[in-house]
Amino acid sequence: MTMPRGPASRTGQEDEPDGAPPGPMGDSAQALARLGRSWTWLLAAALATLVPGVLVLVWPEATLHIVAVLIGLNLLVTGAFRFVGVFARAGHERLPGLLLAVLYVLAGVLCLRNPLQTIAALSLIVGVVWVLSGILTLYTALATEDLPHRGVVLGAAVLGIVAGIVVLALPTESARALTRLLGLWLVLLGLGEAAVALAWRAALRKTHPTGPQAPDETP
């Protein structure tokens, strides 16, 4: 989960991305930064994880090919969400988020490029991504200044690490077992990210209680 800086610390020129060039490029970077700071954007990212998890769980007869495609699409979409979230953070805090976005995109491409891969290969890709994602999110939660509801973000990071370790450590002898395992963890991770989005919404409303004065709180 890519978290922006605390809403109380963003006033004046701090709303502008560090080093954003003037002109159309700078305007685009500022637009992405505002989007990445929106709690609705964070909630949409959570739904992008939750929905595939629900589909996998309610579709137990799905083949490994279908599961690999769903997981690959989830990883690609999540990578896009996290890339946008990078612009909502200060320059020195962007590297972990950028690495995380690239990791998700590469893993998604691997899943979609060969959806007929073995159960072990799919488990390895997903497990490694979740562990590294959890570690980078944990680092971000500890390093980001003025992070509201830090405990919620830390909980989501730990959940991601545990999910990756479980997928890597527990052998899955069938596509059905892998489907249930991945579906369950996708749902749990989606719920954790949704909790982070709602916590960010509460922080924005606390900082800007009047509503219309909160430009980052997209209705």
Side-chain angles (χ1 to χ4, degrees):
M1 169 59 64
T2 299
M3 286 296 297
R5 296 169 64 87
S9 66
R10 300 192 315 273
T11 57
Q13 295 183 349
E14 291 186 17
D15 282 335
E16 300 182 3
D18 293 350
M25 291 296 292
D27 293 340
S28 299
Q30 292 179 35
L32 289 175
R34 288 192 294 269
L35 181 61
R37 286 194 294 267
S38 170
W39 73 269
T40 52
W41 183 256
L42 299 178
L43 184 60
L47 292 177
T49 300
L50 181 61
V51 171
V54 173
L55 290 176
V56 170
L57 285 180
V58 301
W59 197 1
E61 67 275 9
T63 64
L64 186 61
H65 173 84
I66 296 175
V67 173
V69 171
L70 287 175
I71 296 296
L73 291 175
N74 165 255
L75 293 173
L76 284 178
V77 172
T78 302
F81 275 106
R82 293 178 181 271
F83 176 77
V84 173
V86 168
F87 289 88
R89 296 158 62 183
H92 66 282
E93 298 173 352
R94 289 179 181 172
L95 182 58
L98 182 60
L99 292 176
L100 198 54
V102 172
L103 176 64
Y104 268 91
V105 171
L106 290 178
V109 170
L110 287 176
C111 289
L112 293 176
R113 183 179 181 182
N114 185 20
L116 296 178
Q117 58 198 311
T118 64
I119 297 174
L122 185 58
S123 299
L124 179 63
I125 293 173
V126 176
V128 169
V129 169
W130 284 351
V131 169
L132 293 180
S133 173
I135 292 175
L136 288 175
T137 302
L138 185 64
Y139 166 78
T140 301
L142 294 175
T144 302
E145 300 177 359
D146 302 325
L147 181 65
H149 299 279
R150 191 183 305 271
V152 178
V153 182
L154 289 173
V158 172
L159 182 63
I161 296 174
V162 172
I165 292 176
V166 170
V167 172
L168 290 174
L170 293 182
T172 52
E173 299 177 356
S174 66
R176 179 178 293 269
L178 176 64
T179 298
R180 291 176 176 175
L181 183 63
L182 293 180
L184 174 62
W185 280 112
L186 281 173
V187 169
L188 292 177
L189 289 173
L191 291 176
E193 293 178 352
V196 173
L198 294 177
W200 182 246
R201 173 176 178 266
L204 287 173
R205 290 198 168 185
K206 184 177 179 181
T207 306
H208 306 285
T210 56
Q213 296 181 0
D216 294 332
E217 188 177 348
T218 303

